[in-house]
């Protein structure tokens, strides 16, 4: 009977821990790649360029995501759409010039020539 009570206590503790962690994990920012479905506004290939300091591209709209290639100063970027992340920062999603993938770039690191 003692082991039965211990088993129930462990099961309850495990369930409570899982619920607490699950709630935390569901609200945490994921580091997985995010495609254009995260966009809120379509802009259809706006030609942009990296600032004079260059621009890091990312797998999602925020610096918690995985880094991709670095755009050199004034290198082209064709923005397809954009979103505003939870910090109020605008991020563009599109095609880095001459690259075979799409990526996100922070609006403060690109400009429209």
């Amino acid at each position: 009977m003692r082991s039965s009570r211990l088993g129930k206590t462990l099961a309850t503790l495990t369930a409570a821990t899982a619920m607490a962690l699950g709630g935390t994990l569901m609200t945490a920012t994921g580091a997985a790649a995010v495609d254009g479905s995260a966009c809120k506004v379509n802009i259809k290939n706006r030609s942009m360029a990296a600032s004079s300091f260059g621009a890091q591209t990312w797998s999602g709209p925020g610096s918690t995501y995985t880094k991709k290639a670095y755009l050199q100063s004034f290198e082209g970027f064709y923005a397809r759409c954009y979103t505003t992340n939870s910090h109020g920062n605008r991020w563009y999603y599109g095609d880095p010039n001459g690259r075979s993938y799409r990526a996100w770039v922070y609006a403060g690191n690109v400009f429209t020539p």
Side-chain angles (χ1 to χ4, degrees), residues 99-113:
R99 313 288 168 95
S100 61
Y101 62 88
R102 294 195 174 137
W104 291 88
V105 65
Y106 172 59
N109 293 335
V110 290
F111 67 96
T112 304

Side-chain angles (χ1 to χ4, degrees), residues 2-87:
R2 182 178 171 107
S3 64
S4 175
R5 197 178 307 161
L6 178 62
K8 286 181 182 179
T9 303
L10 284 175
T12 302
L13 180 60
T14 302
T17 303
M19 286 178 58
L21 287 176
T24 302
L25 293 175
M26 287 181 2
T27 59
T29 301
V34 177
D35 63 10
S37 64
C39 284
K40 294 181 181 168
V41 178
N42 289 325
I43 54 176
K44 298 185 180 178
N45 287 333
R46 179 182 297 166
S47 180
M48 304 183 98
S51 71
S52 60
F53 298 107
Q56 180 68 55
T57 63
W58 302 84
S59 64
S63 60
T64 58
Y65 292 90
T66 304
K67 288 182 181 180
K68 288 193 159 196
Y70 188 80
L71 301 177
Q72 298 300 317
S73 300
F74 308 111
E75 187 174 347
F77 181 83
Y78 296 95
R80 295 177 169 274
C81 57
Y82 68 85
T83 192
T84 303
N85 69 8
S86 60
H87 300 289

